[in-house]
Amino acid sequence: MKFFVDTANLDDIREAYDLGVLDGVTTNPSLMAKEGISGHDNVIDHYKAICDIVDANVSAEVISTDFEGMIKEGRELAKIDDKIVVKVPMIKDGVKAIKQFTADGIRTNCTLVFSAGQAILAAKAGASYVSPFIGRLDDIGFDGLELIEQIVGIYDNFGFGTEVLAASVRHTMHLLQCAEIGADVVTCPLKVITSLLNHPLTDKGLAQFLADHAKANG
Ligand code: E4P
């Protein structure tokens, strides 16, 4: 199972990468805006900065919603670094753009996926990753994890090469259930990854070991 960190914050990306278990980074326009990144050149420079930190793939999202615009933007993003995966929204022109990027050898992440039908379209267009948003489905009273399970099953049935990238992962239970279901990737904030470290018995056990060692060694 791959871990991607879902942020445009350079400190968080550095910390996640330093942990040694990071396989990628996902960003989106809201996450870029949250870091105060605006304007064409600043956005490109920020992606460069992320690529300089990690030896892992980096999803960079297009803003255009028409085919020509997405192709132009995606090609420019892909030129930044081999690590870039072009993130494309699940809309009609997005599906066409994914097909074109695939033919051009540019990897894609199809984002804003909320149904199995959308996931089938993304896979048929050749997306490298499909991003179903678990948390946002949960927010409106649907079971996001059920969607992950459904997509994993469908992709297995037909041997689709598209990786299921569980997105909008909000807490450790989401992450663990994605692991049980067999999602290929989860993307989540740094705190979800680091909270996997926590267990009170680990803290208690370590304190005891250190106390016993100190007693025995003066
Ligand atoms: C995925 O690529 C998105 O960036 C992200 O996971 C969305 O998460 P949110 O619903 O917590 O904003």
Side-chain angles (χ1 to χ4, degrees):
M1 178 181 223
K2 294 180 193 168
F3 281 1
F4 289 3
V5 70
D6 194 30
T7 183
N9 181 282
L10 299 183
D11 290 336
D12 281 4
I13 292 169
R14 217 170 274 120
E15 187 178 336
Y17 191 64
D18 284 351
L19 195 57
V21 298
L22 193 73
D23 302 291
V25 179
T26 52
T27 62
N28 64 40
S30 305
L31 293 171
M32 294 290 274
K34 193 172 158 200
E35 298 308 314
I37 312 299
S38 63
H40 173 272
D41 292 355
N42 291 333
V43 168
I44 299 288
D45 285 350
H46 200 74
Y47 284 132
K48 278 186 192 150
I50 296 175
C51 290
D52 284 347
I53 295 172
V54 299
D55 186 15
N57 76 49
V58 176
S59 284
E61 188 158 343
V62 296
I63 306 299
S64 305
T65 53
D66 63 296
F67 176 78
E68 284 78 16
M70 283 191 253
I71 294 297
K72 184 168 175 276
E73 244 188 277
R75 284 180 178 157
E76 187 183 5
L77 291 169
K79 273 198 199 118
I80 295 174
D81 197 294
D82 286 347
K83 296 167 192 167
I84 294 287
V85 174
V86 178
K87 208 170 174 190
V88 179
M90 170 38 75
I91 53 176
K92 194 196 269 183
D93 278 24
V95 173
K96 292 183 194 170
I98 289 169
K99 181 84 184 167
Q100 184 62 55
F101 286 134
T102 306
D104 295 345
I106 293 174
R107 290 177 300 160
T108 53
N109 173 355
C110 182
T111 190
L112 291 168
V113 166
F114 293 95
S115 76
Q118 292 178 326
I120 292 174
L121 282 175
K124 285 188 67 69
S128 317
Y129 300 97
V130 65
S131 289
F133 280 37
I134 303 177
R136 293 192 193 187
L137 278 171
D138 289 356
D139 288 345
I140 59 159
F142 286 85
D143 188 345
L145 287 158
E146 207 171 271
L147 176 62
I148 300 293
E149 195 161 17
Q150 201 182 5
I151 297 171
V152 167
I154 292 169
Y155 282 10
D156 277 356
N157 286 345
F158 298 102
F160 284 129
T162 303
E163 293 189 54
V164 180
L165 194 175
S168 189
V169 166
R170 304 267 173 81
H171 47 72
T172 45
M173 287 314 293
H174 270 160
L175 188 152
L176 294 177
Q177 283 165 317
C178 282
E180 282 175 4
I181 290 166
D184 301 290
V185 191
V186 287
T187 190
C188 53
L190 173 65
K191 71 171 185 326
V192 178
I193 298 176
T194 53
S195 64
L196 295 176
L197 288 164
N198 302 337
H199 199 289
L201 290 180
T202 303
D203 298 340
K204 192 177 165 204
L206 183 60
Q208 184 71 57
F209 287 157
L210 295 179
D212 290 345
H213 174 83
K215 214 184 295 167
N217 290 276

